[in-house]
Amino acid sequence: MDEDAAATALSGRDGTPAKQRRTGGRSARVRVRVLEAAGALLLEAGYDALTVDAVAERAGVHRTTVYRRWGDVGRLLADLLDAAADDGWDPPDTGSLEGDLTALNEEVHTALAAGGPTLTTALIAAGFRSPAAAAALSRFWEDRYARCAVTVSRAVARGELAAPVDARALLVTATAPLYHELLLLRTGPDPGLPARAAAAAAAAARAGAFGGAARAAHP
């Protein structure tokens, strides 16, 4: 999820690597340059072509700097994902559960249906090749679902749902159709999919599928 929801932290809306937040200090600046280079090379050439030497050359730093700090490509990608989680992203607040889920799904759809490889999909693929990247990818999604849990607590506060509600299960149900259709089945972009998936998940939540039935006062 900016997956631009979750996924624009990993890639820009045009599918190019997002710029990491720049902080002070030479070490921090080197980290930014190296991670930007790693993301760009992964997007351009894929995991198999990604090497520490190529990243160092692209970043304009000595190869020993990269080896000393990261050691290998897997740790580089793990740091890239960990940096993506430090982006200040928050889920949208539209005033309703279904609206919030739709807005999240639209961000996911934008990232996954960008019309070509994106850093998001490249990092997901890399997670199958590198244990370090896989662990970092899991941390990234755990962080995203934790941030998005507020959409469920807001729905409870508005009276749309009755507590307790399994927020993670609801959010996975809402977003899963997009990943299944666009990543696994590789169907073309479907502008109506985000709203349909959100409506189905919201209806299931109101029916109590995730632990809390809708309050009687709510239509």
Side-chain angles (χ1 to χ4, degrees), residues 78 81-82 127 130-140:
L81 281 157
D82 288 338
S130 163
L137 193 61
S138 294
R139 291 195 298 272
F140 175 84

Side-chain angles (χ1 to χ4, degrees), residues 163-215:
V165 180
D166 186 336
R168 176 171 168 165
L170 196 168
L171 291 162
V172 168
T173 298
T175 58
L178 282 84
Y179 293 101
H180 190 88
E181 291 287 342
L182 297 171
L183 284 185
L184 300 183
L185 296 179
R186 296 186 179 276
T187 58
D190 179 357
L193 179 59
R196 291 198 305 273
R206 289 192 295 269
F210 307 106
R215 293 176 178 172

Side-chain angles (χ1 to χ4, degrees), residues 12-213:
R13 293 191 180 278
D14 60 355
T16 59
K19 300 293 185 183
Q20 301 297 334
R21 182 184 308 166
R22 297 185 181 273
T23 56
R26 181 180 182 279
S27 178
R29 292 193 297 272
V30 168
R31 178 177 182 242
V32 167
R33 286 162 55 192
V34 169
L35 294 185
E36 288 178 353
L41 287 169
L42 179 66
L43 180 59
E44 292 170 9
Y47 181 82
D48 288 331
L50 191 66
T51 67
V52 169
D53 286 358
V55 170
E57 182 178 358
R58 179 72 168 256
V61 302
H62 198 279
R63 61 195 298 270
T64 57
T65 299
V66 181
Y67 277 111
R68 184 170 57 249
R69 180 159 184 170
W70 289 277
D72 58 31
V73 166
R75 291 186 178 88
L76 258 176
L77 295 180
D79 196 18
L80 178 61
L81 281 157
D82 288 338
D86 184 26
D87 65 343
W89 178 87
D90 287 313
D93 184 356
T94 67
S96 72
L97 175 63
E98 188 170 328
D100 287 354
L101 296 177
T102 297
L104 287 171
N105 280 352
E106 286 173 346
E107 291 191 30
V108 174
H109 187 273
T110 296
L112 297 183
T118 67
L119 187 56
T120 299
T121 56
L123 283 165
I124 290 172
F128 289 96
R129 307 288 300 280
S130 163
L137 193 61
S138 294
R139 291 195 298 272
F140 175 84
W141 291 121
E142 290 290 350
D143 171 75
R144 279 302 191 254
Y145 281 117
R147 293 194 208 187
C148 290
V150 68
T151 63
V152 177
S153 61
R154 287 195 299 242
V156 171
R158 286 191 296 258
E160 294 180 78
L161 302 175
V165 180
D166 186 336
R168 176 171 168 165
L170 196 168
L171 291 162
V172 168
T173 298
T175 58
L178 282 84
Y179 293 101
H180 190 88
E181 291 287 342
L182 297 171
L183 284 185
L184 300 183
L185 296 179
R186 296 186 179 276
T187 58
D190 179 357
L193 179 59
R196 291 198 305 273
R206 289 192 295 269
F210 307 106

